[in-house]
Amino acid sequence: MASIDLNSDVGESFGNWTMGDDAAIFRSVSSANIACGFHAGDPSTIAQTCRDAVAAGISIGAHVGYRDLAGFGRRFLDCSPTELADDVLYQLGALEGIARAAGGRISYVKPHGALYNTIVTHQVQAQAVVDAVKAFGGDLPMLLLPGSVALAAAEAAGLRGVAEAFADRAYNPDGTLVSRREPGAVLHDEDAVAANMVRLATEGTIVARDGSTIKTSAESICLHGDTAGAVSMAAAVRRELEAAGVDIRSFV
């Protein structure tokens, strides 16, 4: 039986402002990318998300991002590699402490938003993020886009690079994600999304927005917790994958 991980970006509420329904989406996914307080998430939100993830038996990942609460981490920051590495290390330490108090631990790292997209091609920032993860210790796997310079840098540093695909995002023909600034970048058709993810898991291909086929090898599928209808979409993707004989299992 084939297997694949389902991950979701969670813990992104802040104070009285609520983002997504993390407890509900935990019924479908196998890994939780928990915000670390820089792009989203406050200490109490992060702590409750960790407790919920531990209770659900879900792997905890550090969703590290740019220090940009106002922009939700979706704006590029031209920071120095030292500053970026220090920011990533700070976030890892904060989440590890909270996760341990909840009875869990960080088991992988996934960059968020603009940082994730930047280190697809930005060698300096990619290396800074990898250096921070390496300095943190534990040789944590890194969840990254296939073909990215960050994935190559992680593997060169002796870290496990885990390629992922995005269920609810449109792809360009070159395998990159369509910018959120463009119409149609976020997908909402559950049937089409689920069919595309079954194709990924069973055939190793994804259909891009122009109808072309992209060959890819992914160990994990991301479903954004802040996408409208995320809970229903996650359930649909899991249901169709299992119906196709694919086992849902964390990659760690």
Side-chain angles (χ1 to χ4, degrees):
M1 177 183 288
S3 67
I4 200 161
D5 172 62
L6 295 183
N7 75 78
S8 186
D9 301 345
V10 293
E12 294 179 326
S13 298
F14 194 92
N16 291 329
W17 181 76
T18 301
M19 172 69 81
D21 187 345
D22 297 344
I25 210 164
F26 282 172
R27 294 194 290 268
S28 297
V29 302
S30 46
S31 296
N33 316 316
I34 301 180
C36 301
F38 271 30
H39 79 274
D42 61 77
S44 292
T45 293
I46 296 168
Q48 185 60 54
T49 307
C50 285
R51 289 192 288 268
D52 290 344
V54 170
I58 293 171
S59 298
I60 292 175
H63 204 30
V64 298
Y66 287 130
R67 191 160 9 119
D68 180 29
L69 282 173
F72 199 66
R74 288 181 174 157
R75 303 180 294 190
F76 169 72
L77 294 187
D78 190 15
C79 45
S80 73
T82 299
E83 180 183 4
L84 180 57
D86 290 344
D87 280 357
V88 170
L89 191 58
Y90 183 98
Q91 293 173 80
L92 293 173
L95 182 61
E96 177 70 358
I98 294 174
R100 283 184 178 275
R105 63 181 179 86
I106 296 175
S107 53
Y108 67 94
V109 179
K110 177 185 172 180
H112 164 80
L115 179 59
Y116 183 100
N117 290 322
T118 295
I119 61 177
V120 170
T121 57
H122 198 302
Q123 185 68 57
V124 173
Q125 289 205 357
Q127 192 62 55
V129 174
V130 169
D131 288 347
V133 175
K134 190 70 176 176
F136 181 73
D139 287 346
L140 295 172
M142 295 187 67
L143 197 53
L144 299 160
L145 196 70
S148 64
V149 297
L151 191 64
E155 292 173 346
L159 301 175
R160 178 185 172 195
V162 179
E164 73 169 332
F166 289 81
D168 51 7
R169 292 293 306 279
Y171 277 81
N172 294 308
D174 65 355
T176 59
L177 300 177
V178 175
S179 170
R180 286 182 178 269
R181 297 185 181 89
E182 298 184 31
V186 179
L187 307 178
H188 300 283
D189 185 328
E190 288 184 7
D191 292 338
V193 166
N196 209 20
M197 292 303 99
V198 169
R199 187 181 299 109
L200 165 74
T202 59
E203 301 175 12
T205 61
I206 292 177
V207 176
R209 66 171 173 173
D210 66 350
S212 61
T213 299
I214 304 168
K215 291 195 69 65
T216 186
S217 177
E219 296 182 64
S220 184
I221 294 171
C222 177
L223 297 128
H224 289 94
D226 64 324
T227 298
V231 172
S232 177
M233 181 176 289
V237 169
R238 179 171 189 133
R239 182 176 61 250
E240 293 305 311
L241 283 168
E242 290 180 331
V246 180
D247 185 33
I248 307 305
R249 184 187 310 160
S250 174
F251 62 85
V252 293

Coordinates of all heavy atoms in Angstrom, one line a residue, residues 92-170:
L92 N 12.4 28.2 16.8 CA 12.5 26.8 17.1 C 12.6 26.6 18.7 O 11.9 25.6 19.2 CB 13.7 26.2 16.5 CG 13.7 26.1 14.9 CD1 15.1 25.7 14.4 CD2 12.7 25.1 14.5
G93 N 13.3 27.4 19.3 CA 13.4 27.3 20.8 C 12.1 27.5 21.5 O 11.8 26.8 22.4
A94 N 11.4 28.5 21.0 CA 10.1 28.8 21.6 C 9.1 27.7 21.5 O 8.5 27.2 22.5 CB 9.5 30.1 21.0
L95 N 9.0 27.2 20.3 CA 8.0 26.1 20.0 C 8.4 24.8 20.7 O 7.6 24.1 21.3 CB 7.8 25.8 18.5 CG 6.8 24.7 18.2 CD1 5.4 25.1 18.7 CD2 6.8 24.4 16.7
E96 N 9.7 24.5 20.8 CA 10.2 23.3 21.5 C 9.8 23.3 22.9 O 9.4 22.3 23.5 CB 11.7 23.1 21.3 CG 12.3 21.9 22.0 CD 11.9 20.6 21.4 OE1 11.1 20.5 20.4 OE2 12.3 19.5 21.9
G97 N 10.0 24.5 23.6 CA 9.6 24.6 25.0 C 8.2 24.4 25.2 O 7.8 23.6 26.2
I98 N 7.3 25.0 24.4 CA 5.9 24.8 24.5 C 5.4 23.4 24.2 O 4.6 22.8 24.9 CB 5.1 25.8 23.6 CG1 5.4 27.3 24.1 CG2 3.7 25.6 23.6 CD1 4.9 28.3 23.2
A99 N 6.0 22.8 23.2 CA 5.7 21.4 22.8 C 6.1 20.5 23.9 O 5.3 19.5 24.2 CB 6.4 21.1 21.5
R100 N 7.2 20.6 24.5 CA 7.6 19.7 25.5 C 6.7 19.8 26.7 O 6.4 18.8 27.4 CB 9.1 20.0 26.0 CG 10.1 19.5 25.0 CD 11.5 19.8 25.5 NE 12.5 19.3 24.6 CZ 13.0 18.0 24.6 NH1 12.4 17.1 25.5 NH2 13.9 17.6 23.7
A101 N 6.3 21.0 27.1 CA 5.3 21.2 28.2 C 4.0 20.5 27.9 O 3.3 20.1 28.8 CB 5.1 22.7 28.4
A102 N 3.7 20.3 26.6 CA 2.4 19.7 26.2 C 2.6 18.2 26.1 O 1.6 17.4 25.8 CB 1.9 20.2 24.9
G103 N 3.8 17.7 26.3 CA 4.1 16.2 26.2 C 4.5 15.8 24.8 O 4.6 14.6 24.5
G104 N 4.9 16.8 24.0 CA 5.4 16.5 22.6 C 6.7 17.0 22.4 O 7.5 17.3 23.3
R105 N 7.1 17.1 21.1 CA 8.4 17.7 20.7 C 8.3 18.1 19.2 O 7.4 17.6 18.5 CB 9.5 16.7 20.9 CG 9.3 15.4 20.0 CD 10.4 14.4 20.2 NE 10.2 13.2 19.4 CZ 10.7 13.1 18.1 NH1 11.3 14.1 17.5 NH2 10.5 12.0 17.4
I106 N 9.2 18.9 18.8 CA 9.3 19.3 17.4 C 9.9 18.1 16.7 O 11.0 17.6 17.1 CB 10.2 20.5 17.1 CG1 9.6 21.8 17.8 CG2 10.4 20.8 15.7 CD1 10.5 23.0 17.7
S107 N 9.3 17.7 15.6 CA 9.9 16.5 14.8 C 10.2 16.9 13.4 O 10.8 16.1 12.7 CB 8.9 15.3 14.8 OG 7.6 15.7 14.3
Y108 N 10.0 18.1 13.0 CA 10.4 18.6 11.6 C 10.2 20.1 11.6 O 9.6 20.7 12.5 CB 9.6 17.9 10.5 CG 8.1 18.3 10.5 CD1 7.7 19.3 9.6 CD2 7.2 17.6 11.2 CE1 6.3 19.6 9.6 CE2 5.9 17.9 11.2 CZ 5.4 18.9 10.4 OH 4.1 19.2 10.3
V109 N 10.7 20.7 10.5 CA 10.6 22.2 10.3 C 10.0 22.4 8.9 O 10.4 21.8 7.9 CB 12.0 22.8 10.4 CG1 11.9 24.3 10.2 CG2 12.6 22.5 11.8
K110 N 9.1 23.4 8.8 CA 8.6 23.8 7.5 C 8.5 25.3 7.5 O 7.8 26.0 8.3 CB 7.2 23.3 7.3 CG 6.6 23.8 5.9 CD 5.2 23.4 5.7 CE 4.6 24.1 4.5 NZ 3.2 23.7 4.2
P111 N 9.3 26.0 6.7 CA 9.2 27.5 6.5 C 7.8 27.9 6.1 O 7.1 27.1 5.4 CB 10.2 27.8 5.5 CG 11.2 26.7 5.6 CD 10.3 25.5 5.8
H112 N 7.4 29.1 6.4 CA 6.1 29.6 6.1 C 6.1 30.7 5.0 O 7.0 31.5 4.9 CB 5.4 30.2 7.4 CG 4.3 31.1 7.1 ND1 3.0 30.6 6.9 CD2 4.1 32.4 7.0 CE1 2.1 31.6 6.6 NE2 2.8 32.7 6.7
G113 N 5.0 30.7 4.2 CA 4.7 31.8 3.4 C 5.8 32.3 2.5 O 6.4 31.6 1.7
A114 N 6.1 33.6 2.6 CA 7.1 34.3 1.8 C 8.5 33.7 2.0 O 9.3 33.6 1.0 CB 7.2 35.8 2.0
L115 N 8.8 33.3 3.2 CA 10.1 32.6 3.5 C 10.2 31.3 2.7 O 11.2 31.1 2.0 CB 10.3 32.4 4.9 CG 11.6 31.7 5.3 CD1 12.8 32.6 4.9 CD2 11.7 31.5 6.9
Y116 N 9.2 30.5 2.7 CA 9.1 29.3 2.0 C 9.4 29.5 0.5 O 10.2 28.8 -0.1 CB 7.8 28.6 2.2 CG 7.6 27.2 1.6 CD1 7.7 26.1 2.4 CD2 7.3 27.1 0.3 CE1 7.5 24.8 1.8 CE2 7.1 25.8 -0.3 CZ 7.2 24.7 0.5 OH 7.0 23.5 -0.1
N117 N 8.6 30.5 -0.1 CA 8.8 30.7 -1.5 C 10.1 31.3 -1.9 O 10.7 31.1 -2.9 CB 7.6 31.6 -2.0 CG 6.3 30.9 -2.0 OD1 6.2 29.7 -2.3 ND2 5.2 31.6 -1.6
T118 N 10.6 32.2 -1.0 CA 11.9 32.9 -1.2 C 13.0 31.8 -1.3 O 13.9 31.9 -2.2 CB 12.2 33.9 -0.1 OG1 11.3 34.9 -0.2 CG2 13.6 34.5 -0.3
I119 N 13.1 30.9 -0.4 CA 14.2 29.9 -0.4 C 14.1 28.8 -1.4 O 14.9 27.9 -1.5 CB 14.4 29.4 1.0 CG1 13.2 28.6 1.5 CG2 14.8 30.5 2.0 CD1 13.5 28.0 2.9
V120 N 13.1 28.9 -2.3 CA 13.0 28.1 -3.5 C 14.2 28.4 -4.4 O 14.9 27.5 -5.0 CB 11.7 28.2 -4.2 CG1 11.8 27.5 -5.6 CG2 10.6 27.6 -3.4
T121 N 14.5 29.7 -4.5 CA 15.6 30.2 -5.4 C 16.7 31.0 -4.7 O 17.8 31.2 -5.3 CB 15.0 31.0 -6.5 OG1 14.3 32.1 -5.9 CG2 14.0 30.2 -7.4
H122 N 16.4 31.6 -3.5 CA 17.4 32.5 -2.8 C 18.4 31.7 -2.0 O 18.1 31.3 -0.9 CB 16.6 33.4 -1.9 CG 17.3 34.7 -1.5 ND1 18.5 34.6 -0.8 CD2 17.0 36.0 -1.7 CE1 18.9 35.9 -0.6 NE2 18.0 36.7 -1.1
Q123 N 19.6 31.5 -2.6 CA 20.6 30.7 -2.0 C 21.0 31.1 -0.6 O 21.2 30.3 0.3 CB 21.8 30.6 -2.9 CG 22.9 29.6 -2.4 CD 22.4 28.2 -2.5 OE1 22.0 27.7 -3.5 NE2 22.5 27.5 -1.4
V124 N 21.2 32.5 -0.4 CA 21.7 33.0 0.8 C 20.7 32.8 2.0 O 21.0 32.3 3.1 CB 22.0 34.5 0.7 CG1 22.4 35.1 2.1 CG2 23.2 34.7 -0.3
Q125 N 19.4 33.1 1.7 CA 18.4 32.9 2.8 C 18.2 31.4 3.0 O 17.9 31.0 4.1 CB 17.1 33.6 2.4 CG 17.3 35.2 2.5 CD 16.0 35.9 2.8 OE1 14.9 35.3 2.9 NE2 16.0 37.2 2.9
A126 N 18.2 30.6 1.9 CA 18.0 29.2 2.1 C 19.1 28.6 3.0 O 18.8 27.8 4.0 CB 18.1 28.5 0.8
Q127 N 20.3 29.0 2.8 CA 21.4 28.5 3.6 C 21.3 29.0 5.1 O 21.6 28.3 6.0 CB 22.8 29.0 3.1 CG 24.0 28.3 3.7 CD 24.0 26.8 3.5 OE1 23.9 26.3 2.3 NE2 24.0 26.0 4.5
A128 N 20.8 30.2 5.3 CA 20.6 30.8 6.6 C 19.6 29.9 7.4 O 19.8 29.6 8.6 CB 20.2 32.2 6.6
V129 N 18.5 29.6 6.7 CA 17.5 28.7 7.4 C 18.0 27.4 7.7 O 17.8 26.9 8.8 CB 16.2 28.6 6.5 CG1 15.2 27.7 7.1 CG2 15.6 30.0 6.3
V130 N 18.7 26.8 6.8 CA 19.3 25.4 7.0 C 20.3 25.5 8.1 O 20.4 24.6 9.0 CB 20.0 24.9 5.7 CG1 20.8 23.7 6.0 CG2 18.9 24.6 4.7
D131 N 21.1 26.6 8.2 CA 22.1 26.7 9.2 C 21.5 26.8 10.6 O 22.0 26.2 11.6 CB 23.0 28.0 9.0 CG 24.0 27.8 7.8 OD1 24.2 26.7 7.3 OD2 24.5 28.8 7.4
A132 N 20.3 27.5 10.7 CA 19.6 27.6 12.0 C 19.1 26.3 12.4 O 19.2 25.9 13.6 CB 18.5 28.6 11.8
V133 N 18.5 25.5 11.5 CA 18.0 24.2 11.8 C 19.1 23.3 12.3 O 19.0 22.5 13.3 CB 17.2 23.6 10.7 CG1 16.8 22.2 11.0 CG2 16.0 24.5 10.3
K134 N 20.2 23.3 11.6 CA 21.4 22.5 11.9 C 21.9 22.9 13.3 O 22.3 22.0 14.1 CB 22.5 22.7 10.9 CG 23.6 21.7 11.0 CD 23.2 20.3 10.6 CE 24.3 19.3 10.6 NZ 23.9 17.9 10.4
A135 N 22.0 24.2 13.6 CA 22.5 24.7 14.9 C 21.6 24.3 16.0 O 22.0 24.0 17.1 CB 22.7 26.2 14.8
F136 N 20.3 24.2 15.7 CA 19.3 23.8 16.8 C 19.6 22.4 17.3 O 19.4 22.1 18.4 CB 17.9 24.0 16.2 CG 16.8 23.6 17.2 CD1 16.5 24.5 18.3 CD2 16.1 22.5 17.1 CE1 15.5 24.2 19.2 CE2 15.1 22.1 18.0 CZ 14.8 23.0 19.1
G137 N 20.0 21.6 16.3 CA 20.3 20.2 16.7 C 19.2 19.2 16.4 O 18.1 19.6 16.1
G138 N 19.5 18.0 16.6 CA 18.5 16.9 16.4 C 18.3 16.5 14.9 O 17.5 15.6 14.7
D139 N 19.0 17.2 14.0 CA 18.9 16.9 12.6 C 17.5 16.8 12.2 O 17.1 15.7 11.6 CB 19.7 15.6 12.3 CG 21.2 15.9 12.3 OD1 21.6 17.1 12.3 OD2 22.0 14.9 12.3
L140 N 16.7 17.8 12.4 CA 15.2 17.8 12.1 C 15.0 17.8 10.6 O 15.7 18.5 9.9 CB 14.5 19.0 12.7 CG 14.5 19.1 14.2 CD1 14.0 20.4 14.6 CD2 13.7 18.0 14.8
P141 N 14.1 16.9 10.1 CA 13.8 17.0 8.6 C 13.2 18.3 8.3 O 12.6 19.0 9.1 CB 12.8 15.9 8.5 CG 12.9 15.0 9.7 CD 13.4 15.9 10.8
M142 N 13.4 18.7 7.0 CA 12.8 20.0 6.5 C 11.8 19.7 5.4 O 12.2 19.1 4.4 CB 13.9 20.9 6.1 CG 14.8 21.4 7.2 SD 16.0 22.6 6.7 CE 14.9 24.0 6.4
L143 N 10.6 20.3 5.6 CA 9.6 20.1 4.6 C 9.6 21.3 3.6 O 9.5 22.4 4.0 CB 8.2 20.1 5.3 CG 7.0 19.6 4.6 CD1 7.2 18.2 4.1 CD2 5.8 19.6 5.6
L144 N 9.9 21.0 2.3 CA 10.2 22.0 1.3 C 9.7 21.7 -0.1 O 9.3 20.5 -0.3 CB 11.8 22.2 1.3 CG 12.5 22.6 2.6 CD1 13.9 22.3 2.5 CD2 12.2 24.1 2.8
L145 N 9.7 22.6 -1.0 CA 9.2 22.4 -2.3 C 10.3 21.6 -3.1 O 11.5 21.9 -3.1 CB 9.0 23.8 -3.0 CG 8.2 23.8 -4.3 CD1 6.7 23.5 -3.9 CD2 8.3 25.1 -5.0
P146 N 9.8 20.6 -3.9 CA 10.7 19.9 -4.7 C 11.5 20.8 -5.7 O 11.0 21.7 -6.2 CB 9.8 19.0 -5.5 CG 8.5 18.9 -4.7 CD 8.4 20.2 -4.0
G147 N 12.8 20.5 -5.8 CA 13.6 21.3 -6.8 C 14.1 22.6 -6.2 O 14.8 23.3 -6.9
S148 N 13.8 22.9 -5.0 CA 14.2 24.2 -4.4 C 15.7 24.1 -4.0 O 16.2 23.1 -3.7 CB 13.3 24.5 -3.2 OG 13.5 23.6 -2.1
V149 N 16.3 25.3 -3.9 CA 17.7 25.4 -3.5 C 17.8 25.0 -2.0 O 18.8 24.5 -1.5 CB 18.4 26.7 -3.7 CG1 18.4 27.0 -5.2 CG2 17.7 27.9 -3.0
A150 N 16.7 25.3 -1.2 CA 16.7 25.0 0.2 C 16.7 23.5 0.4 O 17.4 23.0 1.3 CB 15.4 25.6 0.8
L151 N 16.0 22.7 -0.5 CA 16.0 21.3 -0.3 C 17.4 20.7 -0.6 O 17.9 19.9 0.2 CB 15.0 20.7 -1.3 CG 14.7 19.2 -1.2 CD1 14.0 18.9 0.1 CD2 13.8 18.7 -2.4
A152 N 18.1 21.3 -1.6 CA 19.5 20.8 -1.9 C 20.4 21.2 -0.7 O 21.3 20.4 -0.3 CB 19.9 21.5 -3.2
A153 N 20.2 22.4 -0.1 CA 21.1 22.9 1.0 C 20.8 22.0 2.2 O 21.8 21.7 2.9 CB 20.8 24.3 1.3
A154 N 19.6 21.6 2.5 CA 19.3 20.8 3.6 C 20.0 19.5 3.5 O 20.7 19.0 4.4 CB 17.8 20.6 3.8
E155 N 19.9 18.9 2.3 CA 20.5 17.5 2.1 C 22.0 17.6 2.2 O 22.7 16.7 2.7 CB 20.0 17.0 0.8 CG 18.5 16.6 0.9 CD 17.9 16.2 -0.4 OE1 18.6 16.4 -1.5 OE2 16.8 15.6 -0.4
A156 N 22.6 18.8 1.7 CA 24.0 18.9 1.7 C 24.5 19.1 3.1 O 25.7 18.7 3.5 CB 24.4 20.2 0.9
A157 N 23.7 19.6 4.0 CA 24.0 19.8 5.4 C 23.8 18.5 6.2 O 24.0 18.5 7.5 CB 23.2 20.9 6.0
G158 N 23.3 17.4 5.6 CA 23.1 16.2 6.3 C 21.7 16.1 6.9 O 21.4 15.2 7.7
L159 N 20.8 17.0 6.5 CA 19.5 17.0 7.0 C 18.6 16.2 6.0 O 18.9 16.2 4.8 CB 18.9 18.4 7.2 CG 19.7 19.3 8.2 CD1 19.1 20.7 8.2 CD2 19.6 18.7 9.6
R160 N 17.5 15.7 6.4 CA 16.6 15.0 5.6 C 15.7 16.1 4.9 O 15.0 16.8 5.6 CB 15.7 14.0 6.3 CG 14.7 13.3 5.4 CD 13.8 12.4 6.3 NE 12.7 11.8 5.5 CZ 11.6 11.3 6.0 NH1 11.5 11.1 7.4 NH2 10.6 10.8 5.3
G161 N 15.7 16.1 3.6 CA 14.8 17.0 2.9 C 13.6 16.3 2.5 O 13.7 15.2 1.8
V162 N 12.4 16.8 2.8 CA 11.1 16.1 2.5 C 10.4 17.0 1.5 O 10.0 18.1 1.9 CB 10.3 15.9 3.8 CG1 9.0 15.2 3.5 CG2 11.1 15.1 4.8
A163 N 10.1 16.5 0.4 CA 9.4 17.2 -0.7 C 7.9 17.2 -0.4 O 7.4 16.1 0.0 CB 9.7 16.6 -2.1
E164 N 7.2 18.3 -0.6 CA 5.8 18.3 -0.4 C 5.1 18.9 -1.6 O 5.6 19.6 -2.5 CB 5.4 19.1 0.8 CG 5.6 20.6 0.7 CD 5.0 21.3 1.9 OE1 4.0 20.8 2.5 OE2 5.5 22.4 2.2
A165 N 3.8 18.6 -1.7 CA 2.9 19.2 -2.7 C 1.8 19.9 -1.9 O 1.5 19.7 -0.8 CB 2.3 18.1 -3.5
F166 N 1.1 20.8 -2.7 CA 0.0 21.6 -2.1 C -1.3 21.3 -2.7 O -1.5 21.4 -3.9 CB 0.4 23.1 -2.3 CG 1.5 23.6 -1.4 CD1 2.8 23.4 -1.8 CD2 1.3 24.2 -0.2 CE1 3.9 23.8 -1.0 CE2 2.3 24.7 0.6 CZ 3.6 24.4 0.2
A167 N -2.2 20.9 -1.9 CA -3.5 20.5 -2.4 C -4.3 21.7 -2.8 O -5.0 21.6 -3.9 CB -4.3 19.7 -1.3
D168 N -4.3 22.7 -2.1 CA -5.2 23.8 -2.3 C -4.6 25.0 -3.0 O -5.1 26.2 -3.0 CB -5.8 24.3 -1.0 CG -4.8 24.6 0.1 OD1 -3.6 24.6 -0.2 OD2 -5.2 24.8 1.3
R169 N -3.5 24.8 -3.6 CA -2.8 25.9 -4.4 C -2.6 25.5 -5.8 O -2.3 24.3 -6.1 CB -1.4 26.2 -3.8 CG -1.5 26.8 -2.4 CD -2.1 28.2 -2.4 NE -1.4 29.1 -3.3 CZ -0.2 29.7 -3.1 NH1 0.4 29.5 -1.9 NH2 0.3 30.5 -4.0
A170 N -2.7 26.5 -6.7 CA -2.5 26.2 -8.2 C -1.0 26.3 -8.4 O -0.2 27.0 -7.8 CB -3.2 27.3 -9.0

